[in-house]
Amino acid sequence: MATTTATTDMPVPADRVWQLIGGFDSLPDWLPYIPTSTLSEGGRVRSLTNEEGGVIVERLEAFDNQARSYSYSIVQAPFPVSDYRSTLTVHEKPGGQSRVEWSGTFTPAGASEQEAIALFHGIYTEGLAALRMTLEA
């Protein structure tokens, strides 16, 4: 099983960051790569459409509002991995700042471990950069 994590520190209170990213259906609010998200199964499954029209279906596996964290798995996606599980967490830091952490574990399938790690590390890093731009706008 492979793993990768990306983090970013922000001069924004953790509660404000969580208000933006804490909803399972909120990716289009801060991630330009995902312009569309539709919930089903009582809000436990999201169907995402990326900029190229590709569909990614993800299932909410755990949600902890107090810890500002949720985990999800991929049900369907064009990625060369299986057994994917990811967690997005907002940590409070001193002085009204926050650290956002996006991590994932997965089994490469049709790609090398390094290729799969590079793919998701890039997604997480670019996603956190987009989050920072949204919050600073």
Side-chain angles (χ1 to χ4, degrees):
M1 185 151 291
T3 185
T4 189
T5 300
T7 62
T8 189
D9 291 340
M10 299 197 185
V12 178
D15 284 339
R16 180 169 167 227
V17 177
W18 184 243
Q19 283 177 336
L20 176 61
I21 71 172
F24 193 54
D25 196 34
S26 70
L27 287 179
D29 296 339
W30 61 274
L31 190 60
Y33 177 72
I34 303 292
T36 306
S37 175
T38 306
L39 291 179
S40 61
E41 294 188 28
R44 294 181 308 275
V45 173
R46 65 183 176 194
S47 296
L48 309 169
T49 305
N50 66 23
E51 291 174 314
E52 295 85 37
V55 175
I56 303 161
V57 180
E58 299 172 335
R59 176 176 297 281
L60 183 63
E61 299 289 349
F63 183 88
D64 187 332
N65 196 52
Q66 187 171 3
R68 297 184 206 92
S69 180
Y70 72 80
S71 298
Y72 62 95
S73 61
I74 289 180
V75 176
Q76 169 195 333
F79 303 128
V81 298
S82 62
D83 305 317
Y84 177 94
R85 185 170 175 122
S86 183
T87 301
L88 191 59
T89 305
V90 182
H91 301 279
E92 190 167 349
K93 291 186 66 177
Q97 298 190 47
S98 59
R99 171 171 289 157
V100 181
E101 179 179 290
W102 198 349
S103 63
T105 60
F106 42 86
T107 302
S112 72
E113 184 170 307
Q114 289 83 1
E115 289 169 330
I117 289 170
L119 170 68
F120 285 102
H121 191 77
I123 289 171
Y124 300 162
T125 301
E126 290 173 20
L128 293 177
L131 173 62
R132 176 181 286 280
M133 289 179 60
T134 299
L135 284 166
E136 292 176 352

